[in-house]
Amino acid sequence: MQINLTELFSCQGKVKTYTQNLEMERFHCPNGEYEIAEKEPVELTITHVGDKKMEVRGEAKLTLLMPCDRCLTPVKVPFSLSIEEELDMNQSHEDRVEALDEQPYVSGYNLDVDQLVANELMVNLPMKVLCREDCKGLCRKCGKNLNEGPCGCDDQVPDPRMSVIQDIFKQFKEV
């Protein structure tokens, strides 16, 4: 959803509150694509602080459906995002890139709420998602979810570093 910021330029100190619904159904990031299971409207308060500079404050609440890092079971991960941004509408896109302050959610005088929330979400993604603390993961051989019970595969994995010693023992058995 786009918010046109030109109406705030009329006078310094003008404040306007927006309640916008998120249009995105899926969140795309370098780690993958996640479905948005639940979302609430985004509350944004935008203040014109003077000289075409804006202060954006707000809150977004949503829940992503992410796979468990051990067993791949979908897990609902809730997010409560606090948004605090300062926009300088005098800067061009090239000026922002040069200052390493890229803001892909600003295009001309329009603010893309979905992209703003996606940027905040990217920063707040968890390092590891687990369905539960004692998740057992998947069997290395058959791929069964071990949280549902044992799979029956031989779980004795020989240590590859011991293969030389095992060969020596085999030679002594032959004598």
Side-chain angles (χ1 to χ4, degrees):
M1 185 62 139
Q2 300 275 335
I3 296 176
N4 190 337
L5 300 173
T6 54
E7 64 182 296
L8 294 170
F9 295 146
S10 62
C11 66
Q12 183 175 337
K14 187 170 183 177
V15 178
K16 186 155 184 183
T17 302
Y18 297 90
T19 302
Q20 299 288 324
N21 291 322
L22 284 176
E23 292 178 350
M24 68 176 164
E25 298 295 324
R26 304 184 75 71
F27 172 63
H28 306 279
C29 69
N31 299 345
E33 183 176 297
Y34 306 115
E35 180 183 338
I36 298 176
E38 301 166 10
K39 56 187 173 182
E40 294 180 13
V42 179
E43 297 283 333
L44 292 177
T45 301
I46 304 175
T47 306
H48 180 217
V49 294
D51 194 30
K52 289 188 178 180
K53 293 182 182 175
M54 303 288 175
E55 189 176 88
V56 180
R57 304 256 184 255
E59 191 173 302
K61 292 183 181 182
L62 58 112
T63 302
L64 291 183
L65 205 55
M66 301 176 78
C68 173
D69 285 337
R70 291 184 188 159
C71 68
L72 303 177
T73 303
V75 179
K76 286 186 175 184
V77 182
F79 291 91
S80 181
L81 305 172
S82 177
I83 300 169
E84 294 182 14
E85 294 290 331
E86 292 182 11
L87 307 175
D88 186 354
M89 304 309 286
N90 294 316
Q91 287 184 323
S92 66
H93 175 70
E94 292 78 22
D95 293 338
R96 289 187 188 113
V97 170
E98 187 176 308
L100 298 177
D101 186 25
E102 297 179 35
Q103 298 172 339
Y105 45 84
V106 176
S107 175
Y109 292 122
N110 292 321
L111 174 70
D112 187 347
V113 177
D114 283 359
Q115 187 63 45
L116 177 66
V117 171
N119 280 9
E120 287 296 320
L121 198 53
M122 182 75 73
V123 173
N124 289 290
L125 282 177
M127 296 290 259
K128 183 173 246 177
V129 175
L130 296 177
C131 58
R132 59 186 199 210
E133 280 298 317
D134 63 339
C135 178
K136 296 176 183 172
L138 301 174
C139 174
R140 294 181 187 187
K141 291 185 179 180
C142 69
K144 181 180 180 193
N145 186 344
L146 297 175
N147 294 321
E148 298 169 358
C151 62
C153 292
D154 182 20
D155 61 349
Q156 182 67 19
V157 180
D159 189 348
R161 297 172 292 181
M162 298 299 283
S163 64
V164 175
I165 293 174
Q166 289 174 348
D167 290 341
I168 292 172
F169 287 143
K170 286 179 187 175
Q171 290 175 358
F172 284 126
K173 286 182 181 179
E174 293 174 3
V175 174

